[in-house]
Amino acid sequence: MAYVEGFVAAVPAKNKEEYRKHAADAAPLFREFGVTRMVECWGDDVPSGKLTDFSKAVKAEDGEVVVFSWFEYPDRETRDAANEKMMNDPRMQDMGETMPFDGKRMIFGGFAPILDEKSGGDMGYVDGMLVAVPTANREAYLEMALKAAKVFQEYGANRVVETWSDDVPDGKVTDFRRAVKAKDGEDVVFSWIEWSSKEARDEAWPKMMEDERMKPDHQAMPFDGMRMIYGGFAPIVEA
């Protein structure tokens, strides 16, 4: 993986199966365009926050659930070519007319991976995160993320991915920068942790929070943790 297209959307809970089928039916077309992996995850343990959270990010309404998803590409050139094809393929236009959610509130953008640590194993649950990081703190953030990734893997994570905003457009209603209240001079990080199951994830987090290596040094934090968005998601499509 050398490039990621990240998405966050609000979907009516009653449309879960329709959304899953819509995404699964589209997977062969996305593969045709160059997507090497497509993952769709349904909100399961998504807390509300005082400043930011996933629901606020997509202006979720009562009865809607947040979906966290991504495409993996071999490079940005393949992603750019894929988006061009999607915009002009009548099959995609037909699918756009039958989307079981409000596409105007969907957040999307291109991200360049800065960390991808794998230890193998199937994906049964995902922790998704968004955070605003000062551009000047990129190396400090990566250093912190590398240390944390090793701890995550020690406690059972199968994969830890951190991606840095590269082609993240401003939206009329929602976008990634608004989601984390990004300021001038800040970039957006789209990241996730893959676990074998929710049980493995739930068992790991309390232990990690007690691990001295995970105790935050608030004076040295390379970003504002108060604006970080996080939540747990159950995969419903992986292609």
Side-chain angles (χ1 to χ4, degrees), residues 20-147:
R20 187 205 64 76
K21 186 176 186 304
H22 188 271
D25 289 347
L29 185 57
F30 292 139
R31 285 199 297 272
E32 178 183 322
F33 292 151
V35 174
T36 57
R37 187 183 185 217
M38 166 187 169
V39 178
E40 299 276 353
C41 300
W42 192 260
D44 173 70
D45 181 15
V46 182
S48 298
K50 292 182 178 179
L51 293 179
T52 57
D53 59 44
F54 274 114
S55 292
K56 291 183 180 70
V58 290
K59 299 185 183 297
E61 301 173 356
D62 289 345
E64 291 185 328
V65 177
V66 176
V67 170
F68 180 88
S69 57
W70 69 89
F71 293 167
E72 298 180 22
Y73 288 97
D75 49 54
R76 177 171 175 175
E77 290 72 23
T78 303
R79 174 265 195 174
D80 289 347
N83 281 350
E84 182 68 22
K85 293 173 185 176
M86 291 177 195
M87 293 294 293
N88 295 291
D89 194 304
R91 295 171 295 177
M92 289 297 300
Q93 294 172 12
D94 291 342
M95 291 184 61
E97 294 174 359
T98 59
M99 291 194 304
F101 65 97
D102 180 8
K104 292 180 180 179
R105 288 183 283 132
M106 181 177 72
I107 297 175
F108 63 93
F111 295 80
I114 58 173
L115 182 151
D116 187 358
E117 295 290 325
K118 303 176 185 177
S119 55
D122 295 334
M123 179 186 67
Y125 202 77
V126 170
D127 275 312
M129 287 153 283
L130 303 175
V131 64
V133 182
T135 305
N137 291 353
R138 176 171 171 152
E139 289 306 314
Y141 179 85
L142 177 57
E143 182 180 353
M144 181 200 71
L146 282 166
K147 292 178 180 177

Side-chain angles (χ1 to χ4, degrees), residues 132-141 164-165 177 183-189 222-223:
V133 182
T135 305
N137 291 353
R138 176 171 171 152
E139 289 306 314
Y141 179 85
W164 196 269
S165 58
R177 293 188 62 80
K183 302 174 182 178
D184 290 344
E186 290 184 331
D187 292 313
V188 180
V189 171
F223 63 92

Side-chain angles (χ1 to χ4, degrees), residues 122-126 158 194-202:
D122 295 334
M123 179 186 67
Y125 202 77
V126 170
N158 294 335
E194 299 180 16
W195 302 92
S196 60
S197 65
K198 181 179 180 180
E199 291 74 21
R201 175 259 201 178
D202 288 349

